[in-house]
Structures are given as structure tokens and as C-alpha cells.
Amino acid sequence: MIKQIYLALSLLLLIISGCAASNPTSQPTVGLVFPQVRPNSIGQVPQAIASGELIIRGNCLRLEPANNQASYLIIWNEQFRLEKTMISDLQTAQQVVVGSEVRLGGGEVQPEFFTHLVAPLNNACSGPYWFASEIIPN
């Protein structure tokens, strides 16, 4: 009897873990800070370009320039979505993976810009700050 219960529980665990492994979710990376602006909350968008590698430092998604300047915490425009380690621009269908080189349109912003954010910014994620308005194809 105990052997049958053990076998049934083992089979149930196999089924549950198999479903979880074969059904990837599109949930954001747990704990990763992905600050975004509220829809239609900003007027004029900065028109600069920054390039570098998308990195995770702590739980903060940052842009690290190749020239060893300070990395930027990225504040994303409303049309961006994070799914695991992929960032997608829903307007242009451009995508970029964390760990890859990227060029981002937008500009450096100051803490006053935080009034446009959907949620308060995690204090662990310090500046400087880059507002990303678009992913520019390489």
C-alpha cells in the first residue's frame, strides 16, 4: 500500500514538473527591476543614442557602454515588454536579449523624470538613468 502511494505521488510529481518544463511562461524575470513610464505621460522624447551591453547588476537592468563609462539604469518607454530575458518593442517588433549589445534611442534623464513612472523606483537601482524610447537595429 505504501509503495503504491509512493508510486502515485512520484507519477504526479513527474506530470507536474513535465508540464512546467514544457510550458514556458512569458512572465518577467523574478525580481528584475524594469521601470517604465506611464502611457502618454511624457511629451517630447529625448533624441540621443546610447550603445553598450544589457547587463543585470544586482536586480537592476542596466546599459553598460563599451568605453567603461558608468552604466545606466534603463527606464523603458510604455511599449516595451520584458519576457524572461527578452525585451520586445511592441510598436516596431525589435527585440534584444539581456547580455547582448544594443543601441537605444532616448536620452539621459534626471531623478525628476521619476514622476512619469508607473511604479516607484527601487532604491537599490541607482543612476545615472537612460530613458529608452526605442531599440535601434544594429
Side-chain angles (χ1 to χ4, degrees):
M1 174 98 172
I2 293 177
K3 191 174 183 178
Q4 290 172 335
I5 292 173
Y6 177 74
L7 182 60
L9 286 174
S10 297
L11 184 58
L12 181 61
L13 287 174
L14 265 173
I15 292 170
I16 292 171
S17 65
C19 289
S22 65
N23 185 15
T25 65
S26 60
Q27 295 298 315
T29 303
V30 175
L32 186 62
V33 175
F34 192 76
Q36 285 187 281
V37 297
R38 292 185 318 274
N40 304 314
S41 68
I42 58 172
Q44 189 173 4
V45 175
Q47 298 294 313
I49 296 175
S51 61
E53 181 182 357
L54 280 179
I55 62 167
I56 298 173
R57 186 169 295 142
N59 62 343
C60 308
L61 185 56
R62 305 186 72 85
L63 178 67
E64 186 169 74
N67 58 5
N68 294 326
Q69 289 180 323
S71 65
Y72 288 101
L73 177 71
I74 305 167
I75 298 173
W76 300 91
N77 204 358
E78 63 191 70
Q79 81 268 14
F80 291 101
R81 295 297 176 265
L82 172 66
E83 297 177 23
K84 295 195 178 205
T85 59
M86 173 82 66
I87 295 124
S88 303
D89 184 331
L90 301 179
Q91 289 181 348
T92 65
Q94 291 291 322
Q95 295 182 320
V96 66
V97 177
V98 174
S100 65
E101 293 293 318
V102 65
R103 291 175 12 145
L104 297 174
E108 189 168 343
V109 293
Q110 300 304 314
E112 296 81 36
F113 190 80
F114 297 171
T115 59
H116 300 289
L117 297 181
V118 170
L121 188 59
N122 182 331
N123 288 337
C125 298
S126 61
Y129 308 98
W130 184 269
F131 170 66
S133 60
E134 64 180 314
I135 298 170
I136 300 171
N138 288 331

